[in-house]
Amino acid sequence: MTTHHIKETMSFQKKDYIIHNIQLLEEKGLAKISSLPFAARVLIENLARNMGGTISWDDVVGAAKFYETRSNASNLVAFYPSRVLMQDFTGVPAVVDFAAMRDAVHSAGLDPKGINPLVPVDLVIDHSIQVDHFKEKNAFFLNAKKEYERNAERYKLLKWAQKSFDNFRVVPPESGICHQINLEYLATVVTTRKTPEGTLAFPDTLVGTDSHTTMINALGVLGWGVGGIEAEAVMLGQPYYMNLPQIVGVNFVGKPKQQITATDIALYVTNILREENVVEKIVEYTGEGLKNLTLTDRATISNMSPEYGATSGFFPVDEQTLDYLVKTNRSETAALVEAYCKTCGLFNTHDTLPNFSKIIEVDLSVMETSIAGPSRPQDRIPLSKVKEKTAALYHLKNRKDIEITQKGQEGQENQENQKNKTKVLTNGSVVIAAITSCTNTSNPYTMIGAGLVAKKAVELGLSIPWYVKTSLSPGSRVVLDYLNGSGLMRYFEALNFNNTGFGCMTCIGNSGPLDPSIEEAIKTNGLDVTSVLSGNRNFEARIHQEVKGNFLMSPLLVVIYAIAGRIDIDFETEPLGFSKDNTPIFMKDIWPDPQEINQFVETYVQERFFKEQYAHIFKGDKLWQDLEVTETTTFSFDPDSTYIRKPPFFKDFSRTIPPLSDLKGAKVLLVLGDSVTTDHISPAGAIPVEYPAGKYLTDNGVKPWEFNSYGSRRGNHEVMMRGTFANIRIKNHLASKTGGFTVKFPEQAEGYVFDAAQKYQAQNTELVVFGGKEYGTGSSRDWAAKGTCLLGARVVIAESFERIHRSNLVGMGVLPLVFQEGESFEGVGLKGDETFEITGLNDIKPNGLLTVTATRKNQTTSFKVIVKLNTDIEIDYIKNKGILHYVLRNMISV
């Protein structure tokens, strides 16, 4: 063994594996590896294994020293994930980009097969199914059929990609949510790969095009969400360049009270860590309290890393990891994981506290049953305070009671007990109740707990008001196996929580339409109605455009609030309903005992379910198998398609890098406030008929009922650029009304953002977007950056950026700039009608300063902004007009 590597051989079950044992760094006296956070050890191993090219031995040792000394200095590294995970909303535009790159390479006279994933990619189709049918026995089959009718073009593209690209697997629709499938099946924890030297073993790592990729951190797999553009670069063999993140330790102590669910813990942690500002940091969980959390509890917490702002929420490999692998039919994997992790110092025995940059203590014993809302996941509300909080939010003292009856359905919700029947829709009414999303449907304790709530409610004669749209969207088919096996599914169905599909659904905005009479009553009377869901996202207008408040909670509470039919209820003093003998029934009467939940989980969550469901996971159903696709090297774009269009990103592509010109004569497109989300910038839900995207579709012969959603049309840049900044709840301070509007200067004409941008482009006027704090929070939505670019915005100036959206902007060649501490749009005296100039762009440095000059009525204002680029590589991306251009130029020049 030479000095400059830590490679050795591990023998296991009569087979030899080549490993990079970072513990040898300690033996050599180079770094005290045994005191480092486990996430740091994974990053160091990644560097050691990928030495050569951009990574040197000094980088490996330097990273170890960085974490040993708890340095705050910038330390740029090249991280090589072992795989990429995608879902179809983010995967379709990536495949479209790859197809366009193949065309560009073909036009350059080179072999388009050179554009091909160089690392394994799994794309799970889970974001397109909608809750169109519900409260029906066959709701799932009807929704699936409609899904294929709407999305056949997109699915043919993905099936073409599966046939045409190497290293590209597609999990067909109706299989489950990508993160739960990743947790239950795709993740190996330790990866093996054949090399000329022998079989290599190393930690399973990944990046994903969905923010909640972090859920896999619960299994000891380091991974996080990235922008779609960054993921494409990784797929093309590029490293993910980053500064080594600080690693914050969360020290769990105590034991949760009996009624506390994993959701309550996740919401509590989200609230605390948002206040601690863990943005761009890795959170690693440690402490004695970990023994009181199951692996699926951990998954619920890791899943919400984007909500608390962290890059990852990491739980190191330990005995819980091994047990979960065995329970999910991966016994052989568990054995290798144990041997490898114990050999390489990656197995957590919980006997020492690692050397974190900071430690935050979280006491599990003080946690309360909670919900979060109405529009931010970090805004936790203890259950005891919900009535008071929501009454103030929605002015419920001046309640509007609208008597409304579903046509032909009067009294259907409870014919036996008329006292429980309600026909009143009012402010605070719950109109959507969805057990949905990866966060909680991965957790059998919360799912079975909700089933037991349903069982007790039905047995006591409770029911759900007809105006509540109920749905159950399991995260994998295994969930339905154990709900059916335990007999609990029939109680869900008795309350009209029928299985509506295996996918993300309501949490992504695919909640489907409300009953027309309900929607009309909401609009006519200006009602502030609410939704309750077991999801992780509740941003404005995300769940449904007519629903003002969206509240996150455990599946158990979703059932309970659905029965209550309103958000403003005090469960301690107000009954959910009455039994047949007129006895009041309270929440405590139907809340299951934790021992009962545990007994059901132990009995009915069986290893064989995982074996059976994942045996043919890539095969798909008959609908998938019947899709006819021709295997070709390049994709045949249909010029008349309204779903899949060839994007303009590589139009007039040049092999040489054009000079980065200064910004002169620029105008403001939007002025936005704090916590503007990627949902605001690039909506995922319904497409309004009157908005530019809707007009485009109708002009192209698409009927409004065929619009589908913004998310489903991300393969068509014409729809998406028209949808950029088109959320009906976005608040542009330049415009007089809420929604996708702005003011075009100097005419001071108010209109749609897209229309104004087109006029500016016709005049060759470059654009600036202004934002407040946490600009771009939320989903890792590449179209939030692509649309910003295509509308002509070269620069976004904000008080702070969320990590993924900032990276996405850089990936599209849009320069992110940050106000200096204490300054803001208003603080520097801007009005919005100025003309802007920024010079010196060709000489920008990471985190350097630029001067912005704004001229208004012959008055000039100047202020400094920080270049929010972290590395020299990101400078190159900006100069190349984006990461894909950078990669393509490098490939063509070889």
Side-chain angles (χ1 to χ4, degrees):
M1 184 176 65
T2 62
T3 305
H4 292 348
H5 70 66
I6 51 174
K7 190 186 296 184
E8 65 177 14
T9 300
M10 180 188 81
S11 296
F12 173 69
Q13 293 183 349
K14 299 181 181 180
K15 189 171 182 178
D16 289 339
Y17 295 89
I18 301 167
I19 63 173
H20 292 76
N21 189 350
I22 58 171
Q23 293 190 117
L24 296 180
L25 288 170
E26 190 159 343
E27 289 183 19
K28 293 170 180 287
L30 296 172
K32 196 172 181 183
I33 294 296
S34 58
S35 68
L36 300 188
F38 287 89
R41 303 181 203 186
V42 174
L43 291 172
I44 294 164
E45 188 279 341
N46 194 281
L47 290 169
R49 178 166 33 88
N50 291 291
M51 276 195 298
T54 58
I55 301 173
S56 68
W57 176 251
D58 288 341
D59 293 324
V60 178
V61 176
K65 288 292 185 185
F66 174 89
Y67 285 113
E68 186 178 348
T69 60
R70 293 187 285 189
S71 172
N72 289 316
S74 296
N75 193 338
L76 176 66
V77 296
F79 176 65
Y80 285 86
S82 60
R83 59 191 177 96
V84 173
L85 180 71
M86 291 182 160
Q87 37 92 336
D88 56 302
F89 269 15
T90 51
V92 164
V95 172
V96 168
D97 288 349
F98 261 61
M101 288 178 78
R102 278 197 168 183
D103 282 355
V105 169
H106 181 69
S107 298
L110 301 174
D111 185 2
K113 287 185 178 178
I115 303 297
N116 195 68
L118 299 179
V119 299
V121 179
D122 287 305
L123 188 150
V124 181
I125 302 175
D126 65 348
H127 270 52
S128 297
I129 190 167
Q130 298 187 28
V131 189
D132 291 294
H133 296 272
F134 56 102
K135 299 185 182 181
E136 303 172 69
K137 281 280 187 181
N138 61 341
F140 161 60
F141 300 102
L142 294 171
N143 287 331
K145 185 172 179 290
K146 202 159 192 174
E147 174 189 2
Y148 271 90
E149 289 171 359
R150 288 175 172 142
N151 297 288
E153 273 191 73
R154 300 170 65 243
Y155 292 175
K156 285 180 180 179
L157 169 76
L158 296 177
K159 198 168 182 180
W160 168 82
Q162 186 179 35
K163 288 175 174 289
S164 301
F165 291 123
D166 296 332
N167 290 324
F168 192 89
R169 299 189 298 187
V170 174
V171 176
E174 282 61 81
S175 301
I177 298 172
C178 63
H179 311 302
Q180 191 162 345
I181 291 173
N182 194 19
L183 188 75
E184 294 179 353
Y185 177 71
L186 297 175
T188 58
V189 187
V190 172
T191 299
T192 59
R193 184 175 300 161
K194 299 285 186 183
T195 73
E197 295 179 72
T199 302
L200 191 65
F202 52 94
D204 178 13
T205 55
L206 75 154
V207 291
T209 57
D210 189 290
S211 307
H212 297 103
T213 300
T214 53
M215 189 162 116
I216 203 60
N217 301 161
L219 203 60
V221 175
L222 188 60
W224 53 82
V226 297
I229 305 107
E230 292 171 307
E232 290 171 44
V234 171
M235 290 162 65
L236 289 165
Q238 295 293 303
Y240 179 83
Y241 289 102
M242 64 180 186
N243 286 312
L244 283 174
Q246 299 292 319
I247 301 178
V248 174
V250 169
N251 186 37
F252 279 132
V253 298
K255 183 177 182 179
K257 299 184 185 80
Q258 284 202 336
Q259 76 273 19
I260 297 301
T261 66
T263 317
D264 298 318
I265 299 170
L267 294 178
Y268 193 94
V269 167
T270 298
N271 179 254
I272 290 175
L273 294 185
R274 262 295 167 188
E275 293 177 359
E276 291 283 351
N277 188 20
V278 294
V279 174
E280 296 192 345
K281 299 172 185 175
I282 289 177
V283 168
E284 182 170 306
Y285 295 97
T286 189
E288 280 295 307
L290 279 182
K291 66 186 178 185
N292 298 314
L293 301 177
T294 66
L295 193 128
T296 50
D297 291 342
R298 299 175 182 188
T300 307
I301 298 166
S302 289
N303 180 284
M304 292 193 73
S305 298
E307 280 67 47
Y308 46 82
T311 299
S312 289
F314 189 68
F315 289 85
V317 173
D318 63 4
E319 290 292 344
Q320 288 267 31
T321 315
L322 303 180
D323 289 346
Y324 184 77
L325 289 171
V326 171
K327 288 175 181 175
T328 52
N329 191 42
R330 290 175 283 181
S331 296
E332 290 183 11
T333 299
L336 177 61
V337 168
E338 182 176 15
Y340 173 84
C341 290
K342 287 183 174 178
T343 300
C344 295
L346 294 172
F347 193 87
N348 190 5
T349 56
H350 304 284
D351 53 5
T352 58
L353 188 65
N355 189 24
F356 296 111
S357 62
K358 180 181 181 180
I359 296 177
I360 301 166
E361 187 163 298
V362 174
D363 189 348
L364 295 168
S365 68
V366 302
M367 294 186 179
E368 305 168 79
T369 303
S370 303
I371 69 173
S375 61
R376 298 197 310 172
Q378 64 263 41
D379 292 339
R380 184 180 69 88
I381 311 172
L383 201 61
S384 58
K385 302 289 185 184
V386 171
K387 180 168 184 173
E388 173 189 339
K389 177 80 172 178
T390 55
L393 275 172
Y394 303 120
H395 311 293
L396 298 183
K397 289 183 179 177
N398 301 312
R399 186 187 296 275
K400 299 177 183 176
D401 288 350
I402 310 301
E403 188 164 307
I404 180 171
T405 303
Q406 186 181 26
K407 290 182 180 179
Q409 301 292 320
E410 185 172 1
Q412 179 176 305
E413 80 273 2
N414 196 326
Q415 294 175 347
E416 292 184 3
N417 189 353
Q418 292 298 307
K419 189 161 187 178
N420 286 337
K421 188 174 69 177
T422 177
K423 292 185 287 186
V424 171
L425 189 69
T426 184
N427 289 342
S429 287
V430 172
V431 295
I432 293 175
I435 299 174
T436 183
S437 101
C438 45
T439 315
N440 289 291
T441 60
S442 66
N443 193 318
Y445 295 90
T446 58
M447 295 301 289
I448 282 175
L452 290 170
V453 168
K455 179 176 183 290
K456 296 173 191 299
V458 170
E459 289 172 346
L460 288 172
L462 294 177
S463 60
I464 293 173
W466 74 268
Y467 56 76
V468 182
K469 181 173 184 175
T470 46
S471 61
L472 172 64
S473 309
S476 83
R477 286 181 169 270
V478 171
V479 176
L480 211 60
D481 284 338
Y482 64 68
L483 289 180
N484 279 323
S486 63
L488 294 176
M489 192 62 203
R490 70 174 182 267
Y491 296 105
F492 275 124
E493 291 171 345
L495 290 178
N496 288 322
F497 274 99
N498 297 81
N499 174 27
T500 50
F502 299 95
C504 197
M505 303 191 84
T506 299
C507 196
I508 192 59
N510 289 351
S511 56
L514 295 174
D515 182 285
S517 59
I518 294 174
E519 195 157 332
E520 181 60 33
I522 294 169
K523 290 178 180 177
T524 302
N525 298 284
L527 297 181
D528 290 337
V529 295
T530 64
S531 75
V532 295
L533 65 153
S534 64
N536 42 44
R537 292 280 158 89
N538 57 347
F539 304 132
E540 287 182 304
R542 181 184 180 98
I543 306 305
H544 191 283
Q545 292 183 349
E546 299 304 328
V547 176
K548 288 287 181 67
N550 307 299
F551 294 89
L552 308 179
M553 59 191 65
S554 70
L556 293 80
L557 284 177
V558 170
V559 177
I560 288 169
Y561 271 105
I563 294 168
R566 58 190 175 94
I567 197 68
D568 61 315
I569 179 172
D570 182 343
F571 291 119
E572 288 290 324
T573 60
E574 297 178 67
L576 293 169
F578 296 85
S579 66
K580 295 170 188 176
D581 62 0
N582 216 26
T583 303
I585 303 167
F586 292 89
M587 184 180 83
K588 64 182 180 181
D589 299 320
I590 62 172
W591 193 271
D593 184 273
Q595 295 306 317
E596 186 180 12
I597 296 174
N598 291 339
Q599 184 179 352
F600 266 75
V601 171
E602 289 300 316
T603 304
Y604 296 109
V605 182
Q606 299 173 11
E607 182 181 341
R608 68 181 178 89
F609 294 152
F610 296 92
K611 182 178 181 179
E612 292 164 1
Q613 291 295 353
Y614 287 111
H616 306 289
I617 188 69
F618 298 106
K619 186 177 179 182
D621 58 15
K622 190 174 186 302
L623 290 169
W624 178 258
Q625 293 166 23
D626 287 346
L627 283 177
E628 293 185 8
V629 175
T630 303
E631 191 170 343
T632 55
T633 302
T634 56
F635 184 72
S636 299
F637 286 98
D638 179 357
D640 296 323
S641 173
T642 57
Y643 272 103
I644 307 296
R645 298 290 295 272
K646 186 175 179 177
F649 305 131
F650 303 104
K651 186 180 179 182
D652 302 323
F653 177 77
S654 168
R655 294 193 185 200
T656 58
I657 304 173
L660 190 61
S661 60
D662 291 334
L663 197 76
K664 294 183 178 180
K667 292 291 186 180
V668 180
L669 184 60
L670 300 102
V671 177
L672 303 169
D674 294 342
S675 299
V676 168
T677 71
T678 49
D679 277 59
H680 288 118
I681 304 168
S682 178
I687 302 173
V689 176
E690 69 277 11
Y691 268 49
K695 291 178 181 177
Y696 165 83
L697 290 173
T698 53
D699 288 347
N700 280 272
V702 181
K703 305 299 182 186
W705 56 88
E706 297 172 337
F707 277 7
N708 210 337
S709 64
Y710 279 117
S712 68
R713 292 191 182 269
R714 286 184 189 165
N716 183 350
H717 63 279
E718 297 287 1
V719 172
M720 295 313 298
M721 63 192 290
R722 287 166 172 78
T724 304
F725 300 112
N727 187 306
I728 63 168
R729 299 272 187 263
I730 195 170
K731 298 175 180 65
N732 176 13
H733 298 314
L734 295 181
S736 62
K737 50 189 175 181
T738 298
F741 303 97
T742 194
V743 173
K744 166 72 170 60
F745 296 107
E747 303 92 331
Q748 296 191 345
E750 186 163 301
Y752 289 114
V753 171
F754 172 78
D755 294 337
Q758 290 293 101
K759 291 173 184 174
Y760 280 127
Q761 287 195 25
Q763 297 167 352
N764 294 317
T765 301
E766 294 180 311
L767 299 172
V768 181
V769 173
F770 282 94
K773 298 180 181 69
E774 296 180 349
Y775 183 83
T777 189
S779 302
S780 56
R781 196 161 292 166
D782 63 332
W783 261 109
K786 287 179 175 177
T788 300
C789 171
L790 289 179
L791 289 179
R794 280 190 62 197
V795 169
V796 177
I797 305 175
E799 292 176 61
S800 66
F801 287 90
E802 196 76 346
R803 176 183 64 87
I804 297 175
H805 184 59
R806 185 205 67 83
S807 296
N808 270 337
L809 289 171
V810 175
M812 287 308 301
V814 178
L815 181 61
L817 302 173
V818 176
F819 286 104
Q820 293 190 103
E821 184 70 30
E823 293 187 346
S824 63
F825 180 86
E826 295 84 4
V828 297
L830 298 177
K831 302 297 182 184
D833 58 353
E834 295 89 352
T835 300
F836 288 84
E837 180 176 301
I838 307 176
T839 56
L841 291 181
N842 207 44
D843 297 316
I844 53 176
K845 305 294 181 191
N847 300 305
L849 292 177
L850 288 172
T851 300
V852 180
T853 303
T855 303
R856 180 176 186 266
K857 298 178 180 178
N858 298 320
Q859 296 291 317
T860 296
T861 300
S862 293
F863 56 96
K864 299 284 187 182
V865 290
I866 302 165
V867 177
K868 194 59 178 168
L869 301 175
N870 296 333
T871 65
D872 288 334
I873 295 296
E874 291 191 334
I875 300 286
D876 288 339
Y877 294 161
I878 291 292
K879 289 184 175 180
N880 276 271
K881 300 292 192 291
I883 192 170
L884 297 183
H885 292 79
Y886 171 85
V887 172
L888 192 54
R889 285 192 179 100
N890 285 345
M891 294 182 72
I892 289 176
S893 65
V894 173

